[in-house]
Amino acid sequence: MAPRLDFSDWWTRNSRKGTPVIVTMENPNYSVLEIDGPDEEAFGSMEKDRGKNAKQFSWNLLLKVHRAVGCVAWSATALWALLGIIKKRLISRQGVETQREKPGRGRLLLRVLRMFLVLSVVALAFEFVAYWNGWHFQKPNLQLPENLHIPETTEIRGWLHSAYLSWLLFRADYIAHPIQMLTNVCIVLFIIQSADRMILCLGCFWIKFKKIKPRIDGDSFKGYEYPMVLIQIPMCNEREVYEQSISAVCQIDWPKDRMLIQVLDDSDDEAIQILIRAEVSKWSQRGTNIVYRHRLVRTGYKAGNLKSAMGCDYVQNYEFVAIFDADFQPNPDFLKLTIPHFKGNPELGLVQARWSFVNKDENLLTRLQYINLCFHFEVEQQVNGVLLNFFGFNGTAGVWRIKALEDSGGWLERTTVEDMDIAVRAHLKGWKFIFLNDVKVVLCEVPESYEAYRKQQHRWHSGPMHLFRLCLPDIIRSKISIWKKANLILLFFLLRKLILPFYSFTLFCVILPVTMFVPEAELPVWVICYVPVLMSFLNILPAPRSFPFIVPYLLFENTMSVTKFNAMVSGLFQLGSSYEWIVTKKTGRSSESDLLAAAERESKSMSLSKIHKGVSESELSELSKLQEEQGKALPPVRKENKIYKKELALAFLLLVAAARSLLSAQGIHFYFLLFQGVSFLLVGLDLVGEQMS
């Protein structure tokens, strides 16, 4: 728009002669008004107003300059701080032994990312040279050779110009079309998955509006004998959490003669075995019906541990089995809130309770996990439980009818997601599930370090694909209805376990940066910005206090896509890491501060002879030695945060693509690539989650 003020008149007001003329400039028309005689008084006030406007313009300009300088200074400070953190992180790793990746594990994806990074840097340098020399063409389309004027031979300036023109023709003829086709496929998958998520949210709103939830008719135990319940606590090297878990389970409000607790210890550390055995003996002396089991050969991970425990002869005397992982602390009324749902419902095989988290506000990583888990329980589990009577067993905080387990084939050691495996097989046998969204009676932890979270997510996304390969023939041959088979194959496995990580990684981490260097293939703005923001908004609805983290959540989910994609491919093609179980690191936190205080007072009041009663002499001597060693001052163990190469390679790839997008003046693309690249950089340097000093 043309300016309305001509400041040349303001500077030469003292030399004005002749007939005054007011010029009003309005784009695209210009109007000229001539006044017959000079009117010094009228123009005197006009000169004052112009002087005032000029001063305001100057102040506004200075204010904008001040803001710009402040923004640049803040950006420079942040960049300098980030470089300092990177330098410190690299120096701190010197002299520290790190657990190296197994040969061949994840190396192929890293090589591909490195190759893309090198090609993008070369392409960026080429584009900058072309832009500097005026060879840059704005947003060519897929019909580039027909619609774009290519210079004649006489107009080509040197071999570099000729190479650039050849590159334009080559990418339009051979690269743009395949990329655009892949883009369209990913967009279709993206729309389908977004529609599925929208339907789940609408189902959740309908359940809330209708107030639908599992109910118990009448008094739970009036005229109803307490059934025999077996409680299992599988654990492996859980030094930090074994005591509080056993303590919480032993305090469950249920008749002692109608309940048996199995502590299934797979620890390979003899010191931890002695500690757990002593804890079991302590509660056994108080009248709790509790036993300790330890396998000499740890095969099949958790599934093998549970299978071995279910093989005991006395298990046939029990009707239900409740399972709690080592970091879970059930409330005393857990069984009284779950067992009554089985009464009068012989087709019910599983009652799953919702988790609550003791460390959800510990750091940014735990807050982002809390958003995902709230959506999982509030929306996915609840909607599937109400509408389909089927959902994936969460592996803990659930009560199974033992008959349902036996009818489904029991625990199998074929995958690392034994909980999903038994749930699918029970569903194929016709058993129904109930999810208790309002029963938040189990406390647990979420991983506080990115390393632990990354390993957990790898197992959670490789295991389902491995299971899908194994149980697909059983699903097809089963006698359940066609629509239930379609739900299992198309929605439960393919859409939510395979398509989601595939299009997330391919669309936002591969196609988007590639389209910056091949602008003939376009990615719509609504795919990059509007729909992802809407989906993130829906994900955060079950956790409304997390709304300030909507942008970090969106960026972090895209960042985790590389881990989930790698795990999905590993499980689908049964690569080396598809059957690997790494115990998630625990911290042993408790949400009740007085719980630890009470435990401390209790331990002080008890004599050693009372605690050690029932323990063998050899175990007692080993425990005494262990206590003496713990009393000595041990040298500090140096821990350090890791550096993740795949995330760093993607960070630099996205940042290079962001620099390329500046040449095409693509605003939203630039900001998305910039912030996503910074997000990958922070994760690659392990700057999210727990920090080791």
Side-chain angles (χ1 to χ4, degrees):
M1 181 175 179
R4 293 180 177 272
L5 295 175
D6 186 0
F7 290 103
S8 61
D9 292 340
W10 181 75
W11 292 109
T12 59
R13 62 182 180 275
N14 294 328
S15 59
R16 185 188 305 277
K17 293 181 181 180
T19 302
V21 176
I22 299 176
V23 179
T24 303
M25 305 177 68
E26 297 180 355
N27 191 23
N29 299 320
Y30 300 89
S31 61
V32 179
L33 175 63
E34 182 176 348
I35 300 177
D36 293 335
D39 189 350
E40 297 295 338
E41 295 180 0
F43 281 96
S45 61
M46 185 182 298
E47 298 295 344
K48 293 180 181 179
D49 292 340
R50 290 192 174 185
K52 183 179 179 180
N53 291 336
K55 291 179 181 179
Q56 291 177 351
F57 176 79
S58 301
W59 280 111
N60 289 335
L61 183 61
L62 289 175
L63 182 60
K64 291 181 179 180
V65 171
H66 175 72
R67 290 177 179 174
V69 171
C71 182
V72 172
W74 179 87
S75 302
T77 304
L79 180 60
W80 185 259
L82 180 60
L83 292 176
I85 293 174
I86 295 174
K87 180 180 178 182
K88 183 179 179 180
R89 179 60 47 84
L90 293 176
I91 293 177
S92 66
R93 289 173 56 84
Q94 296 179 2
V96 180
E97 294 185 1
T98 59
Q99 183 180 1
R100 297 189 176 183
E101 260 187 353
K102 295 181 180 180
R105 177 182 171 184
R107 305 298 297 178
L108 178 60
L109 180 59
L110 181 59
R111 293 193 191 101
V112 173
L113 293 177
R114 284 177 174 174
M115 180 189 69
F116 270 108
L117 178 59
V118 172
L119 292 176
S120 65
V121 172
V122 173
L124 179 63
F126 203 14
E127 292 288 348
F128 268 121
V129 172
Y131 190 84
W132 183 264
N133 290 278
W135 306 335
H136 184 70
F137 300 103
Q138 291 287 340
K139 283 192 176 181
N141 53 38
L142 292 178
Q143 287 77 32
L144 176 65
E146 292 83 2
N147 295 344
L148 183 65
H149 169 68
I150 301 298
E152 301 293 339
T153 306
T154 56
E155 300 176 7
I156 297 178
R157 293 166 288 177
W159 65 271
L160 192 59
H161 191 193
S162 177
Y164 182 71
L165 296 177
S166 301
W167 159 245
L168 292 180
L169 295 172
F170 177 78
R171 78 185 189 192
D173 288 338
Y174 302 104
I175 300 180
H177 285 283
I179 293 178
Q180 190 64 56
M181 291 176 61
L182 181 60
T183 301
N184 295 337
V185 171
C186 289
I187 290 176
V188 171
L189 298 178
F190 175 61
I191 294 174
I192 295 174
Q193 196 276 332
S194 300
D196 173 65
R197 183 142 300 193
M198 183 74 71
I199 293 173
L200 286 175
C201 291
L202 292 177
C204 182
F205 292 147
W206 182 73
I207 291 172
K208 295 292 184 183
F209 178 74
K210 294 291 185 177
K211 297 181 180 179
I212 300 175
K213 61 180 180 180
R215 301 182 185 277
I216 304 173
D217 297 332
D219 191 353
S220 303
F221 297 97
K222 187 176 181 180
Y224 178 60
E225 184 181 5
Y226 285 87
M228 299 288 287
V229 179
L230 178 67
I231 302 179
Q232 297 177 331
I233 313 175
M235 57 180 62
C236 178
N237 297 326
E238 306 283 2
R239 179 190 291 268
E240 295 82 6
V241 295
Y242 77 92
E243 187 174 2
Q244 63 191 36
S245 175
I246 295 176
S247 174
V249 171
C250 289
Q251 297 179 56
I252 288 180
D253 185 13
W254 200 258
K256 300 297 183 181
D257 60 334
R258 313 294 293 178
M259 177 179 68
L260 172 65
I261 301 172
Q262 287 182 321
V263 178
L264 311 178
D265 182 24
D266 259 2
S267 304
D268 54 9
D269 189 333
E270 294 184 1
I272 298 178
Q273 296 175 24
I274 295 173
L275 291 174
I276 297 176
R277 189 179 290 110
E279 183 70 16
V280 170
S281 299
K282 180 182 73 174
W283 285 99
S284 179
Q285 296 161 23
R286 298 181 180 180
T288 303
N289 194 9
I290 184 173
V291 296
Y292 173 86
R293 284 182 54 85
H294 176 73
R295 294 191 303 163
L296 297 178
V297 180
R298 182 175 179 255
T299 59
Y301 302 115
K302 181 181 176 181
N305 198 0
L306 294 173
K307 181 180 179 180
S308 174
M310 293 298 294
C312 298
D313 295 335
Y314 53 78
V315 173
Q316 62 184 357
N317 300 324
Y318 293 85
E319 186 177 357
F320 303 104
V321 55
I323 302 173
F324 300 101
D325 283 348
D327 59 321
F328 280 69
Q329 307 166 45
N331 285 359
D333 59 349
F334 175 81
L335 291 181
K336 290 188 175 181
L337 293 175
T338 54
I339 294 293
H341 289 276
F342 290 96
K343 182 181 178 181
N345 195 355
E347 296 181 350
L348 183 60
L350 168 67
V351 174
Q352 173 73 60
R354 182 171 176 172
W355 304 351
S356 57
F357 309 97
V358 300
N359 60 338
K360 61 180 182 295
D361 297 323
E362 185 64 25
N363 52 48
L364 178 61
L365 179 61
T366 59
R367 289 186 174 96
L368 299 179
Q369 292 179 70
Y370 178 68
I371 295 173
N372 266 339
L373 291 170
C374 279
F375 182 86
H376 170 69
F377 287 115
E378 186 84 16
V379 179
E380 293 178 340
Q381 298 289 77
Q382 183 176 210
V383 172
N384 289 324
V386 170
L387 301 182
L388 303 175
N389 294 121
F390 166 73
F391 48 82
F393 174 45
N394 293 120
T396 179
V399 180
W400 277 93
R401 190 189 297 270
I402 294 181
K403 183 180 178 181
L405 288 178
E406 295 173 348
D407 183 51
S408 305
W411 300 103
L412 299 182
E413 307 171 9
R414 57 182 183 175
T415 69
T416 57
V417 284
E418 75 295 327
D419 45 8
M420 184 181 295
D421 187 5
I422 188 64
V424 170
R425 287 185 283 116
H427 181 58
L428 296 180
K429 290 292 184 177
W431 292 97
K432 296 181 179 180
F433 303 163
I434 285 180
F435 178 74
L436 303 179
N437 186 60
D438 297 332
V439 181
K440 305 176 184 178
V441 295
V442 184
L443 300 176
C444 64
E445 294 184 17
V446 292
E448 296 184 9
S449 68
Y450 179 70
E451 178 187 5
Y453 179 64
R454 188 169 180 260
K455 292 176 180 178
Q456 181 195 70
Q457 291 299 304
H458 187 278
R459 178 169 60 87
W460 284 4
H461 286 80
S462 65
M465 286 294 95
H466 188 192
L467 176 62
F468 178 63
R469 288 174 54 103
L470 297 174
C471 68
L472 180 59
D474 296 332
I475 296 175
I476 297 174
R477 291 192 301 263
S478 66
K479 298 179 181 180
I480 61 176
S481 61
I482 297 296
W483 70 273
K484 286 186 177 181
K485 293 182 181 180
N487 172 70
L488 268 178
I489 297 175
L490 300 180
L491 295 181
F492 187 77
F493 280 112
L494 290 182
L495 182 60
R496 297 167 188 166
K497 302 298 188 296
L498 187 148
I499 291 177
L500 178 58
F502 170 77
Y503 88 76
S504 297
F505 174 75
T506 307
L507 196 61
F508 298 108
C509 300
V510 177
I511 292 178
L512 179 58
V514 168
T515 54
M516 296 299 101
F517 297 97
V518 186
E520 294 86 359
E522 295 184 350
L523 192 60
V525 174
W526 58 269
V527 175
I528 302 171
C529 181
Y530 304 133
V531 176
V533 170
L534 175 61
M535 292 298 104
S536 299
F537 177 80
L538 293 177
N539 283 9
I540 291 182
L541 281 180
R545 295 180 59 186
S546 302
F547 271 104
F549 303 98
I550 184 170
V551 174
Y553 172 75
L554 172 61
L555 297 175
F556 183 72
E557 282 301 292
N558 291 334
T559 304
M560 284 302 301
S561 64
V562 59
T563 297
K564 296 177 181 179
F565 175 81
N566 188 32
M568 181 270 294
V569 173
S570 175
L572 187 62
F573 297 101
Q574 293 185 338
L575 302 181
S577 58
S578 63
Y579 192 72
E580 181 180 17
W581 186 302
I582 300 176
V583 178
T584 305
K585 177 185 175 183
K586 315 293 193 313
T587 59
R589 298 185 184 276
S590 175
S591 62
E592 301 286 348
S593 58
D594 55 351
L595 178 63
L596 293 179
E600 184 178 358
R601 290 194 302 268
E602 182 183 18
S603 62
K604 289 181 179 180
S605 63
M606 297 181 63
S607 62
L608 289 176
S609 59
K610 187 175 181 180
I611 294 178
H612 297 153
K613 184 180 178 181
V615 182
S616 64
E617 294 182 359
S618 60
E619 293 173 353
L620 184 58
S621 61
E622 291 292 336
L623 183 59
S624 301
K625 293 180 181 180
L626 181 62
Q627 291 175 343
E628 292 177 2
E629 293 177 358
Q630 290 178 344
K632 299 178 182 179
L634 297 176
V637 179
R638 184 177 179 185
K639 298 180 180 180
E640 44 85 34
N641 293 85
K642 293 188 176 183
I643 291 180
Y644 301 98
K645 298 179 181 179
K646 287 190 284 290
E647 283 79 357
L648 285 180
L650 273 171
F652 294 124
L653 174 62
L654 293 173
L655 292 176
V656 170
R660 171 61 181 84
S661 69
L662 290 175
L663 301 182
S664 303
Q666 294 174 308
I668 293 181
H669 295 72
F670 167 74
Y671 288 114
F672 181 86
L673 288 167
L674 176 63
F675 291 129
Q676 192 64 68
V678 172
S679 175
F680 268 104
L681 183 63
L682 296 177
V683 171
L685 295 173
D686 200 5
L687 295 177
V688 297
E690 182 185 21
Q691 298 296 302
M692 304 295 183
S693 60

